[in-house]
Amino acid sequence: MKGPTSKGIERRQRDISSIKCTLALLSEAVTDPANFISDRRLHSAVSSQGALAKLADDRRSIIAMSLNHQRKVAEELPGGFLALDRLRRAVKSALEQQSTREHEAGRTNKAALRARIVELEALILSLRQDLIIVQRAYDHRCAQARSYAKGASAAIRALCEKEQREIEATFSLRSVHSTQNEKVVSIKTARPRAPQHG
């Protein structure tokens, strides 16, 4: 009876090495599933015993083989095929749990962003309302000042006009000028709305 040929021994060693590399890959994945969550090939490989046997990865020196052959070769390693299959199922579970965690985290982040948008929209509305109040108060104050200045001396009237121009120049720096209906207008356009006196 002839013994194994050198080619047979070489192939056997290659197959054993491949399964060892598969075990190393599975050990990495079960330890850090987040790092493998986007590896669709690994997801597919751990879905069943047959799929894992067909896994091929040249970079990791993993070669595809039949399930029966993988079973036979794995029995030569500590723990046998049972250890390999147990690790496969552990990786499958770890990837599923990681996927669920990331999905839930994504839903939480979206909900938080929606809540923040609602909060900012409310703040914008409040600021617009405050701007309308301030602009109306300013227009009213200017109208009063002009009314009071009419009965004063020419010097007082000139001073009043000068100071109001300075105030208007400051207000013109605003980026938004709102009316009560939230239309954007200039200060001079808004002024006629103020009550007139005298």
Side-chain angles (χ1 to χ4, degrees):
M1 183 176 181
K2 292 183 179 181
T5 64
S6 59
K7 285 187 177 180
I9 293 173
E10 184 180 334
R11 179 183 174 187
R12 197 70 168 181
Q13 291 302 318
R14 183 195 62 184
D15 292 345
I16 290 174
S17 177
S18 173
I19 294 178
K20 286 181 178 179
C21 291
T22 300
L23 287 166
L25 170 61
L26 295 177
S27 295
E28 287 181 40
V30 78
T31 301
D32 186 13
N35 198 39
F36 292 86
I37 196 65
S38 60
D39 189 340
R40 305 318 304 172
R41 184 168 57 172
L42 181 61
H43 278 264
S44 177
V46 298
S47 64
S48 69
Q49 294 177 347
L52 183 62
K54 290 181 176 64
L55 176 65
D57 187 335
D58 292 338
R59 186 173 60 87
R60 289 182 174 269
S61 299
I62 297 173
I63 59 175
M65 58 187 75
S66 70
L67 177 56
N68 286 338
H69 186 64
Q70 187 182 67
R71 282 177 183 273
K72 186 177 180 180
V73 176
E75 290 302 328
E76 299 183 26
L77 297 173
F81 181 78
L82 183 62
L84 176 63
D85 191 52
R86 185 181 295 117
L87 190 53
R88 174 192 68 81
R89 287 185 278 111
V91 172
K92 180 181 178 183
S93 177
L95 290 175
E96 289 173 348
Q97 291 176 19
Q98 181 66 30
S99 180
T100 299
R101 281 195 295 269
E102 293 191 5
H103 178 68
E104 291 299 323
R107 290 178 58 187
T108 300
N109 289 340
K110 288 179 181 178
L113 286 173
R114 284 194 293 268
R116 182 58 176 161
I117 289 172
V118 171
E119 179 183 339
L120 290 175
E121 287 176 341
L123 176 61
I124 290 171
L125 179 59
S126 176
L127 291 174
R128 282 184 177 276
Q129 291 172 342
D130 286 350
L131 180 59
I132 292 169
I133 293 171
V134 170
Q135 183 169 309
R136 293 180 66 189
Y138 162 76
D139 291 343
H140 184 69
R141 179 67 61 86
C142 287
Q144 285 182 330
R146 288 194 298 272
S147 177
Y148 299 153
K150 284 181 181 178
S153 64
I156 296 296
R157 290 197 300 273
L159 179 61
C160 177
E161 287 297 325
K162 175 178 177 295
E163 290 181 348
Q164 289 204 6
R165 282 196 300 272
E166 291 174 352
I167 294 173
E168 284 185 357
T170 301
F171 267 69
S172 69
L173 297 176
R174 290 183 1 227
S175 59
V176 177
H177 306 283
S178 296
T179 61
Q180 193 165 7
N181 60 7
E182 297 192 1
K183 289 183 179 178
V184 178
V185 298
S186 69
I187 294 294
K188 289 184 178 180
T189 304
R191 279 177 53 182
R193 296 185 292 98
Q196 301 295 319
H197 298 274

